[in-house]
Amino acid sequence: MSYTQKVLDATIQKNPGEPEFVQALTEILSTLAPFVDARPEYEKHGILERLVEPERAIIFRVPWVDDAGKVQVNKGYRVQYNSAIGPYKGGIRFHPSVSLSIIKFLGFEQILKNSLTGLPIGGGKGGSDFDPKGKSDREVMAFCQSFVTELYRHIGADTDVPAGDIGVGAREIGFMYGQYKRIVNRFEGVLTGKGIVYGGSLARKEATGFGLVYLVEEMLKAHKKTLKGKTVVVSGSGNVAIYACQKAQSLGAKVVAMSDSGGYIFDADGIDLVAVKEIKEVKRGRISDYVSYRPAAVYTEGKGIWGVKCDVALPCATQNELTEADAKLLVKNGVIAVGEGANMPSTLEATEVFLSKKILFAPGKAANAGGVATSALEMSQNSMRLSWTFDEVDQKLKAIMASIYANIAAAAKEAGLEDNFVAGANIAGFKKVAEAMIAQGTV
Ligand code: NDP
């Protein structure tokens, strides 16, 4: 049995009840197999055994008091996965579905994603099963303060620098930063995604969505195509989805559908993003409210957004939102490219459909790396006590996404798998981390 297969089997056995982690593990190790198994030094140094096991996983109690005066308790997590190339870096997710399995899958992916950015950041991820939806600002603050009262001892500007993710935006980062500063009595760049007035970076809010579209445009250009004039479907209507939609529109594409966990809207004339931003960023409302702004649009409850005919699909909501059946439907309707804004939105089977049908497919760990890359730029600005302009950050982001595309395309080609960007991203991300781990000895 090959080295990769042995590690995959043993890791699955050692981590029962962690389906999302096993899914990410299987995708990554099986695409890495030909590359790793041809190089015995990786087995000699136990690289895979070390890579799959987090350096540290912290689970903690988060007690807080709701508006009715009742004590509530949530679970908090921080998985510090790998620090071979820099301090742990990765978002914090607040969503009722959060479990150790979800945080581990996200953290594991993050190691390779962060390596792909070319910046000195290791991999980590955290979160809680707390649901900010429907909570008052005071309740969210109480929760965030309690969360950081435990988390603060494990993080630091040179140790572990968390950011936002699902359910964690500017409001939550602000509350967490305030509590951290109060406890440690230091103003330091320990979190990214901060408000502009207290150390945040311009263009961080836009970065994941913009970066996704920059990478998709690079991929299309390399195949003599462009987003201009294309019909696009974006799932989700959160941070990533909104700015992916904005950048796609500014490059001349027509975005016709967006969604949230309740359902999706279809607007044949093209999404009115001003309306979506007001609903989601200001009112914290539901996407169904869109039809009161644009009566000609149609709202459909439930899943089904992937049945909308499009040239380019950008899944930007959550893991496993795009199944094998959805992938087949997209292909039948003529999709030419798929760019993952979310982490692991396509199931293993859906990914296989796209690859086998030669659809241009940009996997999340490359396509959504613009968020963490710009977080690293925020860290640099914090260390230098400087603020770059929006354009400076945006230009750096664009260059990083172009370089990620070039790297994953080159790695795929070198492996004899031209245009398989799943393999390309995994190999290119892995090589650097493995080299650093070997250089640092058995730690
Ligand atoms: P937000 O919380 O801002 O938005 C999430 C969006 O996805 C919402 O519209 C939400 O709808 C929808 N959604 C969440 N769960 C489901 C579900 N089960 N079914 C359907 N829709 C769902 O999160 P982000 O935009 O920040 O994150 C989206 C994805 O992008 C995640 O996979 C995240 O890990 C990834 N990502 C984010 C980065 C960032 O910088 N923010 C960086 C890299 C990746 P509802 O409001 O109804 O729940």
Side-chain angles (χ1 to χ4, degrees):
M1 193 188 283
S2 73
Y3 169 49
T4 314
Q5 192 62 46
K6 269 190 294 195
V7 176
L8 180 59
D9 290 350
T11 312
I12 291 174
Q13 214 184 0
K14 270 198 209 173
N15 294 275
E18 297 187 3
E20 294 85 3
F21 172 60
V22 165
Q23 182 182 339
L25 182 79
T26 305
E27 186 240 276
I28 292 172
L29 291 202
S30 46
T31 55
L32 282 177
F35 179 81
V36 168
D37 292 331
R39 292 164 178 79
E41 67 269 25
Y42 291 137
E43 181 167 11
K44 181 173 158 240
H45 289 281
I47 290 296
L48 291 184
E49 293 89 330
R50 287 194 275 152
L51 194 71
V52 300
E53 198 64 56
E55 288 175 16
R56 196 172 297 107
I58 302 138
I59 303 183
F60 51 99
R61 178 175 69 188
V62 190
W64 56 283
V65 178
D66 69 17
D67 284 347
K70 187 170 178 327
V71 174
Q72 301 285 343
V73 178
N74 287 95
K75 261 184 192 292
Y77 302 87
R78 187 72 188 165
V79 173
Q80 298 179 328
Y81 227 115
N82 190 297
S83 62
I85 62 169
Y88 310 107
K89 177 105 200 79
I92 290 183
R93 175 176 293 192
F94 292 163
H95 193 273
S97 64
V98 164
S99 62
L100 184 60
S101 170
I102 288 190
I103 300 300
K104 278 176 65 183
F105 114 66
L106 290 164
F108 190 49
E109 289 255 318
Q110 195 85 40
I111 304 169
L112 304 185
K113 178 189 309 193
N114 292 2
S115 165
L116 283 175
T117 66
L119 300 166
I121 37 180
K125 199 84 189 186
S128 172
D129 58 357
F130 172 75
D131 186 359
K133 239 180 266 162
K135 303 285 191 303
S136 69
D137 283 352
R138 195 212 59 82
E139 287 177 317
V140 171
M141 182 172 77
F143 174 80
C144 289
Q145 289 179 339
S146 180
F147 186 80
V148 167
T149 299
E150 171 58 32
L151 187 69
Y152 89 94
R153 70 191 81 241
H154 308 290
I155 61 178
D158 295 315
T159 308
D160 182 356
V161 185
D165 190 77
I166 291 179
V168 177
R171 175 182 59 171
E172 291 74 16
I173 293 287
F175 291 149
M176 288 194 272
Y177 189 72
Q179 182 72 353
Y180 180 85
K181 183 165 61 65
R182 185 186 193 191
I183 294 172
V184 305
N185 195 27
R186 270 195 313 275
F187 193 102
E188 61 178 29
V190 69
L191 286 160
T192 56
K194 298 186 289 300
I196 302 302
V197 292
Y198 66 92
S201 173
L202 287 163
R204 172 60 188 93
K205 182 174 70 171
E206 292 82 358
T208 309
F210 277 22
L212 165 67
V213 174
Y214 290 147
L215 187 127
V216 168
E217 184 71 339
E218 282 292 319
M219 177 172 77
L220 288 171
K221 268 187 359 211
H223 294 83
K224 314 245 173 305
K225 296 179 172 81
T226 165
L227 268 170
K228 195 166 188 306
K230 298 290 185 298
T231 300
V232 176
V233 166
V234 179
S235 67
S237 47
N239 174 261
V240 180
I242 285 176
Y243 293 97
C245 177
Q246 182 167 319
K247 186 50 76 178
Q249 287 179 337
S250 78
L251 293 181
K254 186 187 198 183
V255 180
V256 293
M258 291 183 85
S259 64
D260 64 16
S261 57
Y264 70 94
I265 45 161
F266 172 73
D267 189 337
D269 298 328
I271 293 287
D272 174 355
L273 202 57
V274 175
V276 173
K277 282 186 181 177
E278 185 172 310
I279 296 165
K280 289 291 174 182
E281 294 187 335
V282 182
K283 297 184 174 164
R284 296 183 186 272
R286 307 304 302 157
I287 203 70
S288 53
D289 302 341
Y290 184 83
V291 290
S292 64
Y293 292 77
R294 301 268 285 200
V298 182
Y299 173 71
T300 308
E301 208 154 289
K303 299 183 178 191
I305 191 169
W306 305 120
V308 175
K309 189 173 160 46
C310 62
D311 304 306
V312 176
L314 303 178
C316 295
T318 193
Q319 65 276 354
N320 293 328
E321 54 161 310
L322 200 163
T323 64
E324 182 178 14
D326 296 325
K328 286 183 174 159
L329 196 53
L330 282 166
V331 172
K332 184 165 151 260
N333 285 336
V335 78
I336 57 164
V338 178
E340 294 189 322
N343 283 309
M344 206 169 75
S346 311
T347 61
L348 286 171
E349 297 77 16
T351 304
E352 200 39 54
V353 171
F354 294 135
L355 293 179
S356 66
K357 297 289 179 192
K358 305 272 179 238
I359 306 299
L360 295 173
F361 178 76
K365 74 172 68 65
N368 69 33
V372 73
T374 307
S375 278
L377 300 179
E378 183 173 330
M379 289 163 72
S380 303
Q381 293 170 79
N382 291 164
S383 301
M384 295 187 293
R385 305 268 193 268
L386 281 177
S387 300
W388 296 329
T389 65
F390 189 99
D391 277 351
E392 274 177 285
V393 180
D394 193 34
Q395 286 310 318
K396 289 187 203 308
L397 169 65
K398 216 172 187 172
I400 289 169
M401 299 316 293
S403 135
I404 292 176
Y405 177 73
N407 286 341
I408 63 174
K413 198 167 174 187
E414 209 181 306
L417 295 164
E418 190 155 3
D419 288 347
N420 181 335
F421 305 120
V422 176
N426 288 336
I427 295 169
F430 169 81
K431 262 164 71 173
K432 189 170 136 189
V433 176
E435 193 182 323
M437 288 172 74
I438 291 172
Q440 291 169 25
T442 313
V443 288

